[in-house]
Amino acid sequence: MSGTKRYSDVTKPLSPGPSSIQNLDLSEVFLPTQNHRSVEKKPGRKRRLWIGLGLVLTATGLSLLTGLLVWNFHLRSNVTVKRLYVGSLGISDRTFVKEYEDSSSQEFRTLADQVSQQLKLIYSKNSVLAKYFRSSSVQMFSEGDDSAGVVAYYQSEFQLPVPQQKHVDEAIGSVEELSRHERLLLRPVEPLRVRSVTSGALDSRLSKSSLSEREPINVQVQTGGEISSPGFPDTPYPANMYQQWRLRAEPGHRIQLNFHTLILEDDCQQDFIKIYDSLAPIEPRALTEQCGYPHESLSFLSSGHVMLLMLVTNEEKNFPGFRAAYSQIPISKGEGCGGRLTADKGSVSSPFYPSNYPPQSWCEWNIEVSKEKFVKVQFETFFVGNESKNCVGDYVMVNEEKLCGRTLKKTVFTVQSNQMTIRFVSDASIVDQGFSATYEAFVPSDPCPGRFQCSNNICINSTLHCDGWNDCGDDSDEVNCNCEASQMKCKNDHCKPKIWQCDGVDDCGDKTDEEKCAGSCADGEFSCRNGRCISENLKCNQHDDCGDGSDESKCAKSLLLRCSDFTFRCSDGRCISKLNPECDGEPDCEDGSDESNCQCGMPPFRSSRIVGGQTAREGEWPWQVSLHFDRSKHTCGASVLNNRWLLTAAHCVQDDRHIRYSQASLWQAFLGLHTQGLTNEWTVTRNIQQIIAHPNYNKVSFDNDLALMKLDSDVSLNQHIWPICLPSSTYDFPAGQEAWITGWGTTQEGGELAKSLQKAQVRIINSTVCRGLMQDQITDGMLCAGVLKGGVDACQGDSGGPLAVTNPSGRVFQAGVVSWGEGCALRNKAGVYTRVTKFCDWIKQQTGV
Ligand code: ARG
């Protein structure tokens, strides 16, 4: 209110009409004073006249402008806008009848009228709402959750001045309270007993005029089924569309919606889906919003028997869209959530974990272990609520400690008693994956019998104490250690295996293991790739000071150089200094050839976001192929080079005494596969027409372990089948670089093959270090990668699959082919891969890729 007054106060004296007159008056005073002298000198008089006129015009212009501006402000403050609020109103004294589902029925209209009246009455109790309220309309009804009562879904329209928007939004937030006021001033003829009201402003992205709203799709959930975006999966979803799916289950049930595919544009301002724990898009009931290519759990649950899914798209980029399965689950009292736990060891997790927990959950676990023991709980995963909001919405309570957020500073909680209470609470909106935890009883005097106790209370195997690796997670097992003969002492007192020195990875955490390495240069010097040392100042000076171009290889501008092992050769035969220039999004060669063959390493609709975890997401590795032998089971991996050729390992296609693995007709390739034995619309199967193993493959040393497979017919490339980029021969994969391995190989040495495609992150290991680890069996055609701490590696059945490295622009290059190892995932052992850069000429020659 005060804002409006200020505007009008200023406006009056400066309104456009009078102000210009005022200024004209001023100029008239100005002119005559000049006139006295003007009689004598004609030219001078003329000049002054011109100046005068100029000034008059400027002043007029200026005042007009000011006037217009202020006028505009003045007007703006009075400009009113339409604002829509969406809500639901629970009515307890009406019973749901079938007719309420038909908006043209008499029953629907009668009740809708009563709801509108009731809303008007509720708004009348708040001066702000009463002032700007225009009308309400009821869109639909649903049965109350406990089979009693009716829920009405409505839209209320307000016409309000822009500056009032905030106040009205706030007032709308309080309608729940207003509806509880029993003192009714204007009693409607047939009052409704209002049980609850929830409402919020309509998502502003839905009021775009370019959006065309489609007829909502009503889905009866009882028997289960699937929904998908229009056109899925063959054609892109339509542009500028707003579609609702209204899901209704039987009362007493909740709805579960599982996304099998969800690929939209990356920017949620453009394309998005939103799920509501309601039949209408009521913001305080929004459960999630998703866009792009999400990697989190995509399984959602409602609190009651209704759910709304909506899809909104913009004019550009239309991605494959989504497909989701729906089903209903009876709501039972306990639901496996909470309860009394009396064993000395056990686990707890949020309801429906690893699905997203439903809204409005409340669970309490009362743990009571043997009398003389204490309890500790360790969280393995934790995605609950919002830390920045002080844990007001969703949270976990361990005794009196409230926890929320997407990471926990500490993961182990202990209590000095044999009892512990864990409570999980979720509010009405925005859900997440929840938590999983294990609890354990321990003897207070000896919390980790026979094991080492970390500062964070985790117990680890004693042999892991002072072994150079951070096994506790908080480094407490690696401080105050006496280094053994095989270890080096870092400046920060950590002990690290000597073999880790100078491997390109900062193992100490303070880089001491990477100082004073052979080939490393003094302070202020740059170490060239060819081993020379030059002054740091000579870097990026557009002059090849190293002699191999490496001092000019990571600079904004590329230099034309004499070709060497460290330069990229453009198609025109010229060589440039930039390191790994191919497909980095910038043309570096004069002929543009470094960017010319880049339909690889990044499927058409995808950003390269990757999160941890083990099972890959469907479509995350579209170049991964499963090779089946003799129509039976998965035998080796391979990667897609183009629509006809695959790359795999030569050792996969070597005959043994009884089996003819080299016979092309006995192999089958599965492309776009995720789970073995489960083919879907993305999966394409091809027979193999031809196998070309590298002619110099050595069965004993595994040298040149590489083979090509030609499919019997072309495949069409798409989001789920896409080539990986082949690096040029000079592409550099430095030691320490992160890389991903993928495959259906065994998840343990001697174990079973994985059903779903697995992924793991490893690091490239310096070849000199690797020779030390692998008894000198490493040739120039091999590349080592792994996690020397152990536990992460390729294994039997992964052979032939790719070792993939993402370049800075998000494109994935194949650095290696899974070849061999000693056992799997052992400490201080590396996985060995065929070094692809060594063979790109051969691959090109054979396939033309
Ligand atoms: N040779 C194995 C196969 O045929 C792959 C072994 C990889 N081993 C390793 N530890 N990285 O599947």
Side-chain angles (χ1 to χ4, degrees):
M1 286 277 234
S2 61
T4 327
K5 196 158 174 238
R6 214 188 70 223
Y7 288 131
S8 55
D9 284 350
V10 184
T11 316
K12 265 188 203 144
L14 286 179
S15 64
S19 70
S20 45
I21 292 168
Q22 256 177 21
N23 282 317
L24 271 177
D25 283 350
L26 210 146
S27 58
E28 266 172 347
V29 176
F30 184 66
L31 269 174
T33 51
Q34 302 295 314
N35 271 352
H36 294 291
R37 283 187 183 183
S38 65
V39 195
E40 290 146 17
K41 269 190 174 175
K42 262 194 173 174
R45 182 177 175 242
K46 221 176 179 176
R47 217 185 85 222
R48 276 184 217 111
L49 233 161
W50 276 118
I51 294 172
L53 210 74
L55 281 169
V56 172
L57 283 175
T58 319
T60 317
L62 265 174
S63 59
L64 257 170
L65 200 74
T66 334
L68 264 171
L69 273 173
V70 175
W71 186 51
N72 177 40
F73 269 123
H74 175 66
L75 242 181
R76 275 265 293 275
S77 69
N78 284 337
V79 165
T80 61
V81 289
K82 185 168 105 175
R83 196 157 169 79
L84 290 175
Y85 294 88
V86 187
S88 69
L89 184 135
I91 309 160
S92 51
D93 58 350
R94 293 288 187 281
T95 316
F96 191 83
V97 290
K98 202 94 203 95
E99 285 73 14
Y100 288 154
E101 279 175 11
D102 172 14
S103 60
S104 60
S105 73
Q106 187 56 47
E107 289 83 352
F108 182 103
R109 273 182 282 156
T110 311
L111 188 58
D113 266 355
Q114 290 170 8
V115 170
S116 296
Q117 277 187 46
Q118 192 85 29
L119 283 167
K120 190 172 177 187
L121 183 89
I122 293 173
Y123 297 143
S124 73
K125 289 184 235 170
N126 177 296
S127 58
V128 180
L129 295 180
K131 187 162 174 197
Y132 302 116
F133 172 66
R134 283 291 164 279
S135 64
S136 295
S137 63
V138 172
Q139 265 86 47
M140 56 202 154
F141 294 106
S142 75
E143 202 163 348
D145 229 318
D146 34 14
S147 312
V150 178
V151 181
Y153 301 89
Y154 62 88
Q155 229 175 51
S156 292
E157 187 186 321
F158 287 72
Q159 192 75 34
L160 43 92
V162 182
Q164 289 296 306
Q165 201 165 293
K166 225 181 76 205
H167 299 115
V168 179
D169 284 2
E170 273 167 25
I172 278 287
S174 67
V175 289
E176 175 90 73
E177 280 162 53
L178 293 177
S179 72
R180 294 201 193 293
H181 271 290
E182 278 306 320
R183 276 189 299 137
L184 297 179
L185 296 169
L186 298 141
R187 261 189 103 72
V189 207
E190 275 187 282
L192 300 168
R193 178 165 303 155
V194 176
R195 189 161 46 180
S196 59
V197 197
T198 312
S199 65
L202 187 72
D203 189 314
S204 58
R205 291 166 296 181
L206 295 177
S207 36
K208 262 197 284 177
S209 58
S210 56
L211 269 191
S212 84
E213 185 170 353
R214 298 184 156 214
E215 190 60 32
I217 298 173
N218 288 302
V219 183
Q220 294 299 334
V221 175
Q222 280 89 309
T223 50
E226 281 186 344
I227 50 177
S228 54
S229 48
F232 183 91
D234 307 316
T235 54
Y237 53 77
N240 283 319
M241 173 193 65
Y242 168 25
Q243 174 79 64
Q244 286 191 355
W245 285 263
R246 296 173 179 168
L247 288 82
R248 299 172 198 244
E250 290 170 283
H253 291 74
R254 64 171 94 242
I255 298 172
Q256 179 160 32
L257 190 60
N258 290 332
F259 285 84
H260 150 276
T261 307
L262 176 59
I263 307 172
L264 303 178
E265 192 177 333
D266 271 335
D267 181 359
C268 287
Q269 290 309 312
Q270 309 300 339
D271 293 357
F272 62 93
I273 62 149
K274 219 160 163 176
I275 300 175
Y276 295 86
D277 191 33
S278 162
L279 268 190
I282 307 173
E283 284 315 306
R285 292 289 175 271
L287 295 184
T288 193
E289 174 177 310
Q290 301 283 342
C291 60
Y293 189 85
H295 289 80
E296 283 87 30
S297 164
L298 289 174
S299 171
F300 298 93
L301 291 129
S302 60
S303 67
H305 69 296
V306 293
M307 191 186 250
L308 175 73
L309 168 68
M310 68 184 197
L311 170 66
V312 178
T313 69
N314 75 334
E315 48 283 319
E316 299 141 40
K317 282 194 196 162
N318 299 297
F319 291 77
F322 72 83
R323 194 176 77 188
Y326 55 82
S327 55
Q328 69 175 27
I329 303 173
I331 301 177
S332 58
K333 272 210 195 83
E335 247 179 2
C337 142
R340 224 173 96 80
L341 303 169
T342 50
D344 271 5
K345 217 176 168 162
S347 58
V348 288
S349 57
S350 49
F352 299 98
Y353 184 86
S355 292
N356 290 282
Y357 49 78
Q360 308 195 49
S361 309
W362 192 98
C363 323
E364 190 174 277
W365 294 267
N366 293 298
I367 301 168
E368 189 173 341
V369 300
S370 321
K371 275 233 165 54
E372 65 290 355
K373 291 183 179 172
F374 289 177
V375 195
K376 71 177 165 191
V377 61
Q378 179 172 353
F379 288 93
E380 271 97 47
T381 45
F382 195 91
F383 303 105
V384 178
N386 194 335
E387 214 181 348
S388 64
K389 287 190 189 148
N390 273 325
C391 305
V392 282
D394 307 346
Y395 58 88
V396 171
M397 276 235 323
V398 177
N399 281 359
E400 294 312 310
E401 200 164 347
K402 210 172 185 185
L403 313 171
C404 69
R406 303 202 92 230
T407 44
L408 282 179
K409 272 171 224 100
K410 72 179 186 178
T411 55
V412 182
F413 297 81
T414 42
V415 286
Q416 316 273 316
S417 126
N418 70 330
Q419 291 175 356
M420 180 187 265
T421 317
I422 301 175
R423 189 179 299 156
F424 169 75
V425 179
S426 68
D427 67 2
S429 67
I430 308 301
V431 294
D432 209 335
Q433 201 180 1
F435 73 92
S436 71
T438 51
Y439 76 88
E440 206 178 324
F442 64 95
V443 183
S445 57
D446 184 12
C448 292
R451 303 206 291 165
F452 174 81
Q453 187 183 9
C454 307
S455 302
N456 57 16
N457 287 315
I458 292 178
C459 302
I460 60 166
N461 221 321
S462 303
T463 56
L464 303 179
H465 181 205
C466 290
D467 67 345
W469 287 282
N470 171 11
D471 300 283
C472 287
D474 64 355
D475 255 344
S476 55
D477 55 323
E478 295 303 320
V479 290
N480 307 323
C481 298
N482 293 318
C483 300
E484 285 166 21
S486 64
Q487 295 176 320
M488 67 164 285
K489 194 166 193 89
C490 306
K491 275 200 190 114
N492 59 14
D493 271 354
H494 286 193
C495 301
K496 295 287 170 186
K498 281 192 178 145
I499 48 164
W500 274 108
Q501 265 175 306
C502 304
D503 65 348
V505 185
D506 172 18
D507 302 290
C508 284
D510 61 4
K511 298 212 175 96
T512 26
D513 56 316
E514 295 301 311
E515 280 168 7
K516 304 194 199 79
C517 298
S520 84
C521 302
D523 266 0
E525 284 192 322
F526 174 82
S527 12
C528 305
R529 279 174 76 188
N530 59 12
R532 280 173 66 177
C533 296
I534 59 161
S535 162
E536 190 79 46
N537 304 333
L538 299 174
K539 235 173 80 182
C540 295
N541 65 352
Q542 293 283 301
H543 184 267
D544 175 14
D545 300 284
C546 283
D548 64 358
S550 51
D551 54 319
E552 299 298 319
S553 70
K554 290 179 182 167
C555 312
K557 260 187 106 177
S558 205
L559 211 63
L560 269 178
L561 284 183
R562 194 161 36 87
C563 300
S564 76
D565 283 353
F566 306 117
T567 55
F568 177 80
R569 186 192 283 267
C570 306
S571 292
D572 59 10
R574 300 218 241 177
C575 289
I576 54 171
S577 64
K578 189 168 181 186
L579 189 68
N580 305 342
E582 58 247 66
C583 306
D584 67 350
E586 279 168 45
D588 301 290
C589 292
E590 263 169 40
D591 61 0
S593 53
D594 56 315
E595 296 296 318
S596 64
N597 209 349
C598 297
Q599 290 288 82
C600 62
M602 189 191 275
F605 307 124
R606 180 181 145 190
S607 63
S608 52
R609 286 170 293 160
I610 287 161
V611 293
Q614 281 309 110
T615 301
R617 286 260 302 149
E618 185 133 17
E620 195 179 338
W621 310 99
W623 33 83
Q624 177 74 46
V625 179
S626 168
L627 295 176
H628 288 209
F629 184 73
D630 210 7
R631 315 232 151 234
S632 57
K633 60 170 194 183
H634 168 90
T635 305
C636 268
S639 57
V640 176
L641 296 184
N642 67 10
N643 60 359
R644 199 63 187 262
W645 286 95
L646 309 180
L647 180 61
T648 185
H651 80 256
C652 289
V653 294
Q654 298 301 310
D655 291 342
D656 77 5
R657 228 172 291 154
H658 313 287
I659 311 171
R660 302 206 47 212
Y661 286 106
S662 65
Q663 182 103 41
S665 60
L666 295 176
W667 288 92
Q668 243 189 340
F670 285 77
L671 293 82
L673 183 75
H674 182 68
T675 308
Q676 294 289 342
L678 258 185
T679 55
N680 60 29
E681 64 256 48
W682 309 117
T683 316
V684 168
T685 316
R686 285 285 183 277
N687 292 320
I688 304 299
Q689 188 180 77
Q690 187 190 2
I691 295 177
I692 313 174
H694 196 281
N696 301 333
Y697 168 68
N698 185 322
K699 279 179 194 184
V700 182
S701 65
F702 273 55
D703 208 9
N704 309 308
D705 189 7
L706 191 80
L708 292 160
M709 280 190 177
K710 189 178 189 184
L711 305 175
D712 67 345
S713 64
D714 291 355
V715 289
S716 54
L717 301 174
N718 61 42
Q719 191 67 14
H720 288 73
I721 301 176
W722 197 254
I724 190 167
C725 295
L726 267 187
S728 67
S729 58
T730 54
Y731 202 101
D732 183 39
F733 296 107
Q737 174 145 49
E738 288 172 347
W740 286 91
I741 45 177
T742 44
W744 290 272
T746 58
T747 47
Q748 244 179 14
E749 202 179 331
E752 302 253 306
L753 289 174
K755 277 217 102 123
S756 297
L757 181 61
Q758 302 291 301
K759 62 174 177 184
Q761 199 176 30
V762 292
R763 280 178 189 276
I764 309 270
I765 295 168
N766 172 304
S767 288
T768 317
V769 170
C770 193
R771 282 192 187 103
L773 300 171
M774 308 300 279
Q775 292 88 40
D776 277 336
Q777 301 173 72
I778 307 303
T779 66
D780 289 345
M782 299 176 191
L783 174 77
C784 297
V787 175
L788 292 203
K789 187 179 171 174
V792 186
D793 195 7
C795 206
Q796 258 49 56
D798 290 322
S799 283
L803 170 75
V805 170
T806 308
N807 82 354
S809 65
R811 234 172 249 290
V812 179
F813 282 78
Q814 183 162 0
V817 178
V818 178
S819 177
W820 61 279
E822 280 180 46
C824 296
L826 299 176
R827 269 199 180 196
N828 289 333
K829 291 288 167 198
V832 186
Y833 299 78
T834 314
R835 191 181 279 274
V836 173
T837 50
K838 267 259 160 190
F839 302 95
C840 40
D841 292 340
W842 179 75
I843 296 171
K844 285 202 182 106
Q845 195 191 325
Q846 301 296 321
T847 65
V849 172

